[in-house]
Amino acid sequence: MTLPGWLAPVVEASSTITVHELTRFMPPADADPRRSAVLMVFADRDGDVAGPDDLAHRGELVLTERNHHMRSHPGQVSFPGGSLDPGETAVEAALREAWEEIGLDPAEVEVFGELPELWLPPSNNAVTPVLGYWRDRGDVHIASPAEVHEIHHVAIADLLDPDNRIQVRHPSGWLGPGFLIGPDRDVILWGFTAGIIARLFSYLGWAEDWDRARVRDLPDHMLQGVPQNARQVAPNTDLEE
């Protein structure tokens, strides 16, 4: 497997980062959680030719924006993913879900690691983030309109840009990390997915200082199906994906 140099720190982190560096919660022994997997897929951007230390050319992440009419977490930006089918591994489930949601061919993805399993207490859901490199970046499309409203190819440089970093405030008072994405920076990435990205980039030493006084309220269209009594905990753990 040949990976671009800019991914080397992520490959190393996949074998060294612990669950406690990503979340406050890990599945307790007696939880019997529902198990899910998401695909955190990295890709080169068009025209990128970079060495491992070229901070301006660290590729992109492929994210999905959930259908705005879904009963649960409408409009939320997330990694492709979903529940494991009987007999599936986390890798198999993540690749299958990416194919079903956005038509990403599993044969084009080099899986190079997994992050620790993360527990979402409100739903008793244990999620394994699978790390993959989209070797031959081609086309994807909305393969499941019932689930996906939009596909976002988000430059890692944009996610690291302090101007795109915010804190997101839920009506309960919960505050967590957020990112402004989309061509007009009008789409809010928050919750479970934003927490993984923020914590991983911090662990990698990629994160830059940003103004934590920049707070945005969660848009009304994203509140349907989100618990209203969420308590304040670590920034990436309380509200589920």
Side-chain angles (χ1 to χ4, degrees), residues 52-132:
D53 298 321
D54 189 343
L55 304 186
H57 297 88
R58 280 182 284 197
E60 70 179 22
L61 282 171
V62 181
L63 301 169
T64 63
E65 182 178 344
R66 289 166 64 89
N67 187 299
H68 289 198
H69 301 290
M70 294 188 76
R71 183 168 54 89
S72 175
H73 308 290
Q76 185 154 341
V77 179
S78 60
F79 304 119
S83 298
L84 272 64
D85 284 345
E88 274 190 323
T89 65
V91 169
E92 290 168 342
L95 293 173
R96 173 183 54 76
E97 288 283 349
W99 167 253
E100 292 174 357
E101 291 179 10
I102 61 173
L104 177 56
D105 186 348
E108 297 179 358
V109 178
E110 298 280 1
V111 173
F112 61 86
E114 298 178 13
L115 296 182
E117 189 176 57
L118 309 175
W119 187 45
L120 300 173
S123 61
N124 192 27
N125 192 16
V127 183
T128 299
V130 174
L131 305 177

Side-chain angles (χ1 to χ4, degrees), residues 73-237:
H73 308 290
Q76 185 154 341
V77 179
S78 60
F79 304 119
S83 298
L84 272 64
D85 284 345
E88 274 190 323
T89 65
V91 169
E92 290 168 342
L95 293 173
R96 173 183 54 76
E97 288 283 349
W99 167 253
E100 292 174 357
E101 291 179 10
I102 61 173
L104 177 56
D105 186 348
E108 297 179 358
V109 178
E110 298 280 1
V111 173
F112 61 86
E114 298 178 13
L115 296 182
E117 189 176 57
L118 309 175
W119 187 45
L120 300 173
S123 61
N124 192 27
N125 192 16
V127 183
T128 299
V130 174
L131 305 177
Y133 172 58
W134 191 3
R135 186 181 59 252
D136 299 313
R137 183 179 181 275
D139 294 325
V140 288
H141 62 280
I142 298 175
S144 177
E147 297 177 274
V148 180
H149 171 77
E150 187 62 82
I151 299 169
H152 296 281
H153 297 264
V154 186
I156 291 174
D158 288 342
L159 291 168
L160 298 174
D161 187 338
D163 288 343
N164 298 328
R165 294 295 308 270
I166 58 172
Q167 289 205 85
V168 178
R169 180 169 51 209
H170 184 270
S172 67
W174 178 90
L175 285 173
F179 301 84
L180 298 175
I181 67 170
D184 299 317
R185 301 296 186 265
D186 58 350
V187 177
I188 293 179
L189 164 59
W190 76 291
F192 175 80
T193 305
I196 293 175
I197 293 171
R199 289 287 185 94
L200 177 60
F201 287 178
S202 178
Y203 182 82
L204 294 171
W206 288 0
E208 301 178 20
D209 290 335
W210 56 283
D211 183 4
R212 285 166 173 77
R214 299 178 66 217
V215 177
R216 294 276 293 270
D217 290 323
L218 197 61
D220 289 342
H221 78 272
M222 300 178 86
L223 288 171
Q224 180 181 344
V226 176
Q228 298 295 308
N229 60 348
R231 53 191 171 85
Q232 178 107 6
V233 295
N236 64 322
T237 56

